[in-house]
Amino acid sequence: MELELDNDQHLFWETSRKFIESSCPLATVRQLYDDPDGFDRGWWRQVAELGWTSMLVPEEHGGGTVSGNGLLDLVLVAEEMGRWVSPGPFLPTNVVAATVARSGSAEQKKDLLGAVVAGELTAAWCFDEPGTRWGPAGVGLTARGDGGDFVLAGIKSPVEAAAQADRLLVTARTGEGLGQFLVPADAPGVRVTPLRSLDFCRRFATVSFEDVRVPESAVVGAPGGAAGDVEIQIQLAAALQCAETVGAVDRVFEFTTQYAFDRFSFGRPLASYQALKHRFADMKTWLEACHATATSAARGVQEGADDAGDLASVAKSYVGERSVDIIQDCVQMHGGIGVTWEHDIHLYLRRATVNRETYGTPADHRERLASLLGM
């Protein structure tokens, strides 16, 4: 990210980078390919000790930031996670924690936040639905009032880290508008079906809610009044995911450039050929634009700017599309070895491709951007 770091942020960033390098290198990521959870819960508790789950949680609930700007601190971690294709329910857990911290009841905050900050509990945000338009307008899962309870019925898919989550934040349509409900993952009527993921260590699932009955105390915020929270959740997800994707592309561009200088063809390094110089120049331009849009989105969302939604969708659409283009170009730069199982570049291409398709595709966010601008 193109952020000017103070001393505390620099120390936090440096500590996070060293921790990932030493505790979860790419060799470990490869070993998680067949792991049903895709991450180690002991490792996740270590992550929590570093503050990766506390930046969007107020101090009175055990959280706290490095700079006073929690999201800007957190995107530093997201970028490092992208550089090492790291595992774990980082994005959904932080988005759910931020929502409960902002709009949850005292009981919900007590139940969730302390355990999230300690790395003892993870959460998933159930938002996307199959076969419907992405975004709030596409929410079809219903929450029907029944006495003092609500009954949830519908399907959410794909849901990141649903099978590994202890709590599910479910966005639903009520008679009064959008509502959100905090549901235990093992509640009667909740059925989680794991999906095959292109990503090596992140897991997704389909979650079915078959007349799941929850008490009124499960409502996060006001019943039917969750539209504002959902908008902020979309912005947070976009900002964190774009930072992670930019970190992944940065790393791929670094080792591809180095390869072009090290690899000789007809007595000259690959990097000396004019045609390849032009391709590297194009990629560098796109990468810098990815940095700029991702940074603007993070700053806008952090500050609650009036155009934060616009900035988040601009970044999500641009980074989502260009990141995959850049990494595919880098695969070609490597020649035959770029398409082998042994080379690490496919780990990054998998991560970027999944990021492009989740939390709204580039097309979804261009459409959302047009709507936000009244077009």
Side-chain angles (χ1 to χ4, degrees):
M1 301 291 287
E2 297 176 338
L3 300 172
E4 293 183 6
L5 307 184
D6 60 28
N7 290 338
D8 290 338
Q9 284 179 303
H10 191 274
L11 178 61
F12 176 63
W13 163 75
E14 193 172 47
T15 303
S16 298
R17 170 173 284 195
K18 288 180 178 176
F19 174 77
I20 296 177
E21 288 178 356
S22 62
S23 67
C24 196
L26 293 179
T28 302
V29 171
R30 285 177 176 272
Q31 292 171 1
L32 293 170
Y33 180 62
D34 293 321
D35 187 302
D37 288 338
F39 74 104
D40 179 80
R41 287 187 180 267
W43 184 79
W44 187 251
R45 284 191 287 274
Q46 291 180 280
V47 160
E49 290 175 3
L50 293 176
W52 295 7
T53 56
S54 64
M55 295 295 157
L56 303 181
V57 176
E59 289 184 9
E60 61 265 32
H61 298 294
T65 70
V66 175
S67 66
N69 298 305
L71 179 60
L72 297 184
D73 297 336
L74 207 53
V75 297
L76 300 175
V77 176
E79 188 169 330
E80 290 308 312
M81 295 187 77
R83 287 180 65 85
W84 296 96
V85 205
S86 297
F90 173 77
L91 189 156
T93 296
N94 275 295
V95 168
V96 173
T99 303
V100 172
R102 184 175 53 256
S103 300
S105 66
E107 183 182 345
Q108 290 167 344
K109 292 174 182 175
K110 181 180 179 182
D111 171 60
L112 185 89
L113 297 182
V116 164
V117 169
E120 297 167 352
L121 183 151
T122 64
W125 178 27
C126 301
F127 181 62
D128 286 317
E129 298 186 12
T132 62
R133 178 183 175 189
W134 181 85
V139 174
L141 185 145
T142 58
R144 171 175 52 84
D146 185 16
D149 297 338
F150 283 89
V151 178
L152 308 184
I155 298 175
K156 296 289 187 178
S157 184
V159 180
E160 183 178 354
Q164 294 73 42
D166 304 287
R167 299 286 187 278
L168 305 174
L169 178 65
V170 186
T171 306
R173 189 161 299 284
T174 72
E176 292 77 31
L178 288 182
Q180 297 205 103
F181 300 83
L182 203 55
V183 181
D186 58 355
V190 175
R191 184 158 54 91
V192 180
T193 306
L195 300 170
R196 290 194 65 184
S197 173
L198 188 65
D199 196 300
F200 251 50
C201 54
R202 279 191 309 177
R203 303 291 178 252
F204 294 84
T206 295
V207 186
S208 301
F209 296 85
E210 299 168 354
D211 292 333
V212 176
R213 181 175 291 272
V214 295
E216 190 174 1
S217 60
V219 178
V220 179
D229 275 334
V230 171
E231 170 61 27
I232 295 174
Q233 289 162 219
I234 291 172
Q235 295 174 14
L236 282 175
L240 290 174
Q241 190 189 69
C242 286
E244 184 199 49
T245 306
V246 169
V249 180
D250 243 351
R251 179 66 187 132
V252 171
F253 189 74
E254 281 176 9
F255 66 62
T256 302
T257 306
Q258 188 61 52
Y259 175 79
F261 280 103
D262 294 342
R263 178 77 164 87
F264 277 63
S265 178
F266 299 105
R268 297 169 52 186
L270 287 177
S272 68
Y273 288 92
Q274 190 70 15
L276 299 189
K277 288 180 181 178
H278 288 170
R279 290 186 70 175
F280 275 111
D282 287 341
M283 287 192 285
K284 181 63 173 172
T285 302
W286 297 338
L287 179 55
E288 289 303 314
C290 286
H291 273 285
T293 56
T295 302
S296 294
R299 283 188 173 138
V301 176
Q302 172 65 62
E303 295 167 1
D306 292 340
D307 59 351
D310 302 354
L311 295 170
S313 284
V314 166
K316 187 70 173 70
S317 58
Y318 188 86
V319 173
E321 198 161 80
R322 284 303 185 192
S323 60
V324 175
D325 291 344
I326 294 171
I327 297 177
Q328 285 180 332
D329 261 13
C330 289
V331 170
Q332 291 191 20
M333 290 291 188
H334 279 83
I337 65 168
V339 293
T340 60
W341 183 259
E342 290 76 13
H343 201 284
D344 290 330
I345 196 169
H346 69 93
L347 303 178
Y348 293 90
L349 183 56
R350 289 166 181 270
R351 175 62 56 94
T353 301
V354 171
N355 281 356
R356 182 184 62 182
E357 300 303 313
T358 52
Y359 301 104
T361 65
D364 290 329
H365 278 273
R366 281 194 290 269
E367 189 172 340
R368 170 179 142 85
L369 187 59
S371 176
L372 290 172
L373 296 174
M375 298 172 65

